[in-house]
Amino acid sequence: MAQAAAAPQTIALVDDDRNILASVSMTLEAEGFAVKTYTDGAEALRALATTPVDLAVLDIKMPRMDGMELLEKLRRTSDLPVIFLTSKDDEVDELMGLRMGADDYIKKPFSQRLLIERIRTLLRREMSRGTTQATGEAQLVRGELMMDPTRHLCTWAEKPVELTVTEFLLLKALAQRPGHVKSRDQLMDAAYGENIYVDDRTIDSHIKRLRKKFKVVDTDFNQIETLYGVGYRYREA
C-alpha cells in the first residue's frame, strides 16, 4: 500500500499589498507550500489563534494592526518563526523587529528566490529542533544557566527565560564553550545554518534582546561579553 503524502508546510503571508500576496503565494505554492494570506495584522492574529502555521512572513507597515504589534502579540504565546518584510531604507524597523523577536528580515523590493531560501532555512531549523526533542539532547548547565534543548527550556537561577528559537541557538552556541570567542559569522551559522548570510546587525540585535531578557530576571546578568571587532563570548564562571 502506498504511503500517504506528507502534509505541506503552511506559510502565513500578512501584507496589505494584494499584488504581493498574490505573487508570493503563487510562487510558494509552486514550491509545494500551503499558503494562507491576510491583508492586515488584526485579521491574521484572529486566524492564527485557531489555525496553526509553520512560519509567518509579516509586512511591518499595515493598517489597523501593523507587523510590530502583531509580532508582539504572537510572541506572548508562540515561538513561531517570523520573517519581516521591511521598507528599503528603514533600518529602525529592522532593528526594532529583531529586538522584538523576529527571526529574520528582508527588504522590499525583494527577490522571491531569496525569500524562499530564507523560509526553507528557518523551517529546516525547526525540523532539526524537533529531531533534538525526539532524541533527547542533554541539558546544558553553566552556573545559574540551564538550557534544555529537548523542551526548548531556558532558566536562570531557576527562573524561566522565554527565548525564541534564534535566541536559544545563539545562547547555546556561546554557552557550550565559555571563554571562547564566537565571531558573528560563527553565530550566523549556529542560528541560521551554513551558507546563509544575514547582516551583522541582525546578530547584534538578537544578542541585545538576549541580554535584556536575562536582565529582567537578574539585573546583574553580565555573562555575554562583547569583544568589539571580534565577536561575543560567554563569560567563564
Side-chain angles (χ1 to χ4, degrees):
M1 181 182 294
Q3 292 185 340
Q9 292 172 300
T10 303
I11 312 299
L13 298 178
V14 190
D15 198 311
D16 61 328
D17 187 327
R18 294 179 184 276
N19 290 328
I20 288 178
L21 289 181
S23 175
V24 174
S25 61
M26 186 180 301
T27 299
L28 288 173
E29 287 168 351
E31 293 289 324
F33 294 104
V35 182
K36 297 184 180 298
T37 61
Y38 309 99
T39 55
D40 68 74
E43 176 192 11
L45 183 64
R46 288 193 300 271
L48 294 176
T50 58
T51 307
V53 298
D54 296 291
L55 181 145
V57 179
L58 313 180
D59 186 30
I60 286 185
K61 293 188 167 84
M62 295 183 291
R64 297 180 62 197
M65 180 187 293
D66 64 18
M68 294 286 192
E69 185 179 356
L70 175 56
L71 176 63
E72 189 272 332
K73 292 181 183 298
L74 288 173
R75 281 289 173 257
R76 294 176 186 175
T77 58
S78 170
D79 59 2
L80 174 73
V82 169
I83 298 175
F84 261 145
L85 300 180
T86 73
S87 302
K88 182 178 180 181
D89 300 315
D90 204 337
E91 293 184 6
V92 174
D93 281 351
E94 296 160 8
L95 296 177
M96 282 297 295
L98 292 169
R99 289 171 187 169
M100 291 174 66
D103 295 280
D104 203 352
Y105 69 87
I106 296 178
K107 292 177 180 288
K108 290 182 176 183
F110 56 89
S111 159
Q112 293 197 17
R113 296 310 310 175
L114 173 62
L115 176 60
I116 290 169
E117 182 178 304
R118 294 292 179 85
I119 286 172
R120 290 197 185 283
T121 295
L122 291 178
L123 290 175
R124 279 197 302 270
R125 192 181 66 180
E126 289 295 299
M127 292 179 65
S128 175
R129 179 162 71 111
T131 301
T132 295
Q133 292 171 339
T135 57
E137 183 177 332
Q139 292 183 1
L140 174 66
V141 179
R142 296 287 182 267
E144 300 285 7
L145 175 70
M146 190 285 292
M147 302 183 73
D148 184 347
T150 301
R151 295 182 291 162
H152 188 74
L153 175 67
C154 177
T155 64
W156 178 261
E158 300 184 355
K159 297 176 182 177
V161 183
E162 298 294 334
L163 302 179
T164 66
V165 176
T166 302
E167 292 161 356
F168 194 94
L169 291 172
L170 287 173
L171 180 60
K172 187 174 77 167
L174 290 168
Q176 280 175 330
R177 303 191 69 189
H180 289 253
V181 179
K182 290 282 188 179
S183 69
R184 288 174 177 81
D185 285 345
Q186 289 173 317
L187 292 174
M188 283 179 203
D189 289 345
Y192 292 92
E194 296 182 1
N195 302 319
I196 294 295
Y197 174 78
V198 295
D199 195 282
D200 283 352
R201 67 188 176 207
T202 301
I203 299 299
D204 294 340
S205 292
H206 285 309
I207 295 293
K208 287 178 182 177
R209 183 168 169 83
L210 260 175
R211 286 174 171 150
K212 182 178 179 181
K213 286 185 173 183
F214 277 90
K215 283 184 175 293
V216 169
V217 299
D218 181 357
T219 56
D220 294 327
F221 178 84
N222 64 353
Q223 294 304 113
I224 301 175
E225 298 180 309
T226 301
L227 283 80
Y228 292 99
V230 182
Y232 297 95
R233 70 182 171 199
Y234 193 85
R235 187 189 298 271
E236 292 184 280

